Every structure is written in structure tokens, then in C-alpha cells.
Amino acid sequence: MSNKIKVIAIDMDGTLLRDDKSLSDVNVKAIEKAIMKGYRIVFCTGRPYAGVAPFLKYFRQTETEYLVIQNGGQIASINPDETIYHITMDKSETIHILDALLPLDSGLVLVNESGYFSVEQEPNRFMQMDADIVHEKISRLDISAITDETKTENAMIVNEPEIIDAASEKIPQEIIDHYHVVRSQPYLIEIQPKDVNKASGLRALAAHLDIPIEEFAAIGDGLNDLEMIKEVGYGIAMANGNEVIRRESKWVTASNEEDGVQKAIEHIFTI
């Protein structure tokens, strides 16, 4: 095991998973090899727990493992199953976002522990597609149903890429100033609390594990991976990744269609 790296954080979509959302045996075996060598493996993803759970059966956990989900807004442990860290937005923050973004008429989704909710409209096909990918149900939500008990994990603008292109230019500056806004997929923009991102989630996990963040490596492809790629001791970009991610990383591995995660893990062994 490398003396420098003790934890490997791995993004899922566009990184661990192929474009068809399948998981290769090559990547599974590489992760199991890393675990057997003593590395801690952490899936660090924008997905909710429901979107990660179906893949856990492919891996043998040798000790308590952790998931950094909702783009760093939540840390969940596996065996035992419990939440270590969870950042949400309250009713006033949720209404603030809706008041600012509903006039864009671009399709808004709220995410909480109960599932996905399309605000003030029936889900469009991109909303349904995204919900299906992460194994969540989606239904319509009227603003009047939002209560003081509402805890929003994530707000998303979800629609066809051309509409998202236009919406990204019209997001009010007050939203950009007060929240963390990132276009994580061509068809969606995510809005979360200002200081919530994958790097903040990994910092919280590092404190929980009492392992310096400099002893973490991270593998990712999208703009929602940027903060963690820059924060950890060794950031690795996928060949299919965003140009900014590739530029900010210390090493570029193969694409998600070419078992890039396996190659990245083998590279980490040599550090």
C-alpha cells in the first residue's frame, strides 16, 4: 500500500460506470484489490443513497465503508447503515430558490429523503430519465405542499441540453452568490448550500476517519468533481472528463468506457 494515499474517492457517473450505467468486472476487481491492500474506497457521487445501493452488492466490504452522496451533502456508512453527516436547505432557502428559478420556465426538481419532485409541472422526460438512473420515483409537487418540515437536499434545473444552455445564462446572480451552482450533466444544473460540494464532504469524512485529506486520492470526470480533484492529495481525471478537470488533475487515466478507474487504481499503487 502507498505510504502517501490511504483513501480513494471514486465518482460514479462518467467515471466508475460506463455510459450505459453498467459496471465492468475489471473495475470491480480493481476496487477489491485496493481494499485487500488496505485502501479505503469511498464512492463520492451526486447520486442519492438509492442510486448507489444497487452497486454495493458487487463489493466485499472488509470494514465499515462510507459513501459521500448528494455531491457532498451527506455521508452515509455501510455496515452499520447510518448517516454521519447531512446538510440540507430549509423551507426559506427552498422558496428562495424556487422564486428565483421558476420564472426561467426550464423545469425544476427538488430532491429530499422522500424522493424526486417536479415543481409545479408534470415531470418532463429528462426528469424521468434522471430519476430512473438513480432508482428514485418522481412526482409532481406544488409549492403549497412545502412546509416548515421540508428539508431539501438538492434543487435541479432539468431539461434538454439546449434549454439548460439558455437557463445557465439566466440564473440570477443572487442564486450564484448564495448557493453552490454547478452543471454536472448536459441536461441538469444542481443548486445546493453554498459550501456543499464533494470536497467539503471529503473533508468531513477525513475528520471522521482522522486521516489527512492529503492522504486521499480522487477520480472524477465532471465539473461537480472539480473541488475534490483540487482538494485531495492526488486528483485523477478521466480521459472523457471535462477539460477543466483534466487540467486541474495530477494525472489523466483512460475513459469510463476503457476501465479508466482500474488504470487509475493501479497508478495509485505506484505513488
Side-chain angles (χ1 to χ4, degrees), residues 82-96:
E82 60 182 350
T83 297
I84 307 298
Y85 169 93
H86 198 189
I87 304 296
T88 59
M89 296 179 285
D90 61 19
K91 178 183 178 180
S92 64
E93 292 170 306
T94 302
I95 295 298
H96 180 213

Side-chain angles (χ1 to χ4, degrees), residues 41-60:
I41 297 295
V42 178
F43 295 140
C44 193
T45 176
R47 290 176 175 233
Y49 186 86
V52 182
F55 297 97
L56 300 180
K57 63 185 178 183
Y58 295 106
F59 304 101
R60 296 191 297 270

Side-chain angles (χ1 to χ4, degrees), residues 70-81:
Q70 296 289 8
N71 281 324
Q74 184 176 356
I75 300 173
S77 68
I78 311 164
N79 300 328
D81 181 6

Side-chain angles (χ1 to χ4, degrees), residues 8-198:
I8 305 173
I10 306 173
D11 172 52
M12 295 189 69
D13 297 283
T15 300
L16 178 63
L17 304 180
R18 292 178 288 216
D19 291 344
D20 65 0
K21 306 305 177 184
S22 63
L23 180 61
S24 76
D25 290 340
V26 172
N27 281 342
V28 170
K29 290 176 181 177
I31 288 173
E32 290 191 338
K33 182 177 178 180
I35 291 171
M36 296 308 295
K37 281 179 170 285
Y39 292 87
R40 306 294 292 263
I41 297 295
V42 178
F43 295 140
C44 193
T45 176
R47 290 176 175 233
Y49 186 86
V52 182
F55 297 97
L56 300 180
K57 63 185 178 183
Y58 295 106
F59 304 101
R60 296 191 297 270
Q61 286 92 40
T62 57
E63 57 184 317
T64 300
E65 302 295 344
Y66 298 89
L67 306 173
V68 176
I69 52 181
Q70 296 289 8
N71 281 324
Q74 184 176 356
I75 300 173
S77 68
I78 311 164
N79 300 328
D81 181 6
E82 60 182 350
T83 297
I84 307 298
Y85 169 93
H86 198 189
I87 304 296
T88 59
M89 296 179 285
D90 61 19
K91 178 183 178 180
S92 64
E93 292 170 306
T94 302
I95 295 298
H96 180 213
I97 290 169
L98 296 182
D99 285 347
L101 298 184
L102 277 174
L104 300 183
D105 194 26
S106 299
L108 272 175
V109 170
L110 295 182
V111 181
N112 60 37
E113 289 188 319
S114 299
Y116 274 37
F117 298 92
S118 173
V119 183
E120 298 287 336
Q121 69 171 71
E122 294 303 314
N124 63 42
R125 66 186 182 94
F126 287 91
M127 295 175 183
Q128 187 64 60
M129 177 186 71
D130 195 64
D132 290 344
I133 287 171
V134 299
H135 305 275
E136 288 279 17
K137 294 181 179 179
I138 186 167
S139 56
R140 176 178 174 140
L141 176 74
D142 293 330
I143 292 180
S144 60
I146 297 173
T147 69
D148 291 338
E149 285 70 46
T150 298
K151 301 297 180 185
T152 301
E153 296 171 334
N154 196 354
M156 303 189 297
I157 306 173
V158 186
N159 218 312
E160 58 187 271
E162 292 78 10
I163 292 176
I164 299 300
D165 288 343
S168 67
E169 300 295 325
K170 298 177 183 178
I171 296 174
Q173 190 62 43
E174 65 175 300
I175 297 298
I176 295 171
D177 291 343
H178 286 87
Y179 301 94
H180 183 247
V181 180
V182 62
R183 187 173 183 175
S184 56
Q185 298 289 341
Y187 61 88
L188 70 83
I189 297 170
E190 301 187 75
I191 303 98
Q192 291 184 270
K194 183 65 176 178
D195 296 322
V196 169
N197 53 60
K198 291 184 179 183

